[in-house]
Amino acid sequence: MKRVAILISGGGSNMLALVRDMAQPGHAAMPVLVLSNDPKAAGLERASALGVPVAAVDHRPFAKDREAFEAELLRPILASGADILCLAGFMRVLTPGFVHRFSGRMLNIHPSLLPKYPGLHTHQRALDAGDAEAGCTVHEVTPVLDDGPILGQARVPVEPGDTAETLAARVLREEHRLYPAVLRRYAAGDRTPVWLP
Ligand code: GRF
């Protein structure tokens, strides 16, 4: 059974989707930790309510010292015995050193059809570009932000009158389908990408 640690920064809706799917019979992974850089992240309570161990390491006292923050972040991850890390709405950039430590076993979900729109404000950028479709991507995390091998994508149409908020909500629903589907395969050692529809 693969042991999965999920890193969050906020509400954790993607984390919940992953935890709920891992509760299904036949899944090759189990959640062993939900970890946040914000001790007040609502996702921490939601994870606890589902019986998943939680931890928080506030990044603010570390200011710009990313290495010191990550040294603390590592403690609960190592204590949990996690084999796989899932970044799910985790809003801190990780250093190459941290990424390298989990090379080949750290996933992230990004709310765009990578390689388009790495970084922030992805939905507004898709609208500004007049794109007919948008979506989300699950990829392996590498030292280059939002750049690793793609493990799955889900596409949604951009509708007339869409705002960044309405498009984000449509994409988020697909994130909750895509990430569990990718983790299910990934935990079973299958790297075949998942393409929704
Ligand atoms: C959402 O914008 C989602 O697109 C991105 O992270 C943000 C928060 O997600 N992946 P969550 O509800 O905390 O999972």
Side-chain angles (χ1 to χ4, degrees), residues 84-86 104-110 114 136-142 147-154 177-187 189-196:
I84 296 171
L85 262 58
C86 288
R105 55 199 186 102
M106 179 155 60
L107 307 182
N108 180 47
I109 188 158
H110 179 76
L114 293 174
C136 49
T137 303
V138 176
H139 63 94
E140 276 195 353
V141 177
T142 58
D147 183 63
I150 289 178
L151 293 168
Q153 288 195 321
R177 292 178 61 224
L178 178 68
Y179 214 168
V182 170
L183 180 60
R184 201 172 257 273
R185 282 193 186 174
Y186 194 81
D190 178 355
R191 298 287 191 273
T192 317
V194 176
W195 305 115
L196 299 180

Side-chain angles (χ1 to χ4, degrees), residues 33-142:
L33 176 68
V34 171
L35 173 59
S36 180
N37 62 293
D38 178 353
K40 294 189 173 53
L44 292 172
E45 278 168 34
R46 299 165 89 181
S48 287
L50 294 177
V52 184
V54 297
V57 177
D58 191 339
H59 67 275
R60 286 164 297 193
F62 298 94
K64 292 280 174 247
D65 189 345
R66 288 185 190 279
E67 283 73 12
F69 166 62
E70 291 174 353
E72 287 307 309
L73 203 66
L74 210 45
R75 292 179 195 278
I77 294 171
L78 297 182
S80 74
D83 308 297
I84 296 171
L85 262 58
C86 288
L87 307 183
F90 187 67
M91 303 306 279
R92 306 301 298 169
V93 174
L94 295 164
T95 64
F98 187 94
V99 171
H100 181 71
R101 188 180 190 114
F102 294 97
S103 173
R105 55 199 186 102
M106 179 155 60
L107 307 182
N108 180 47
I109 188 158
H110 179 76
S112 82
L113 294 172
L114 293 174
K116 293 178 87 167
Y117 315 129
L120 298 174
H121 313 302
T122 60
H123 305 304
Q124 191 56 56
R125 290 157 67 191
L127 293 172
D128 293 347
D131 292 353
E133 60 178 16
C136 49
T137 303
V138 176
H139 63 94
E140 276 195 353
V141 177
T142 58

Side-chain angles (χ1 to χ4, degrees), residues 10-15 88-89 91 109 111 123 172 175:
S13 70
N14 275 291
M15 172 276 296
M91 303 306 279
I109 188 158
H123 305 304
L172 193 59
E175 291 180 40

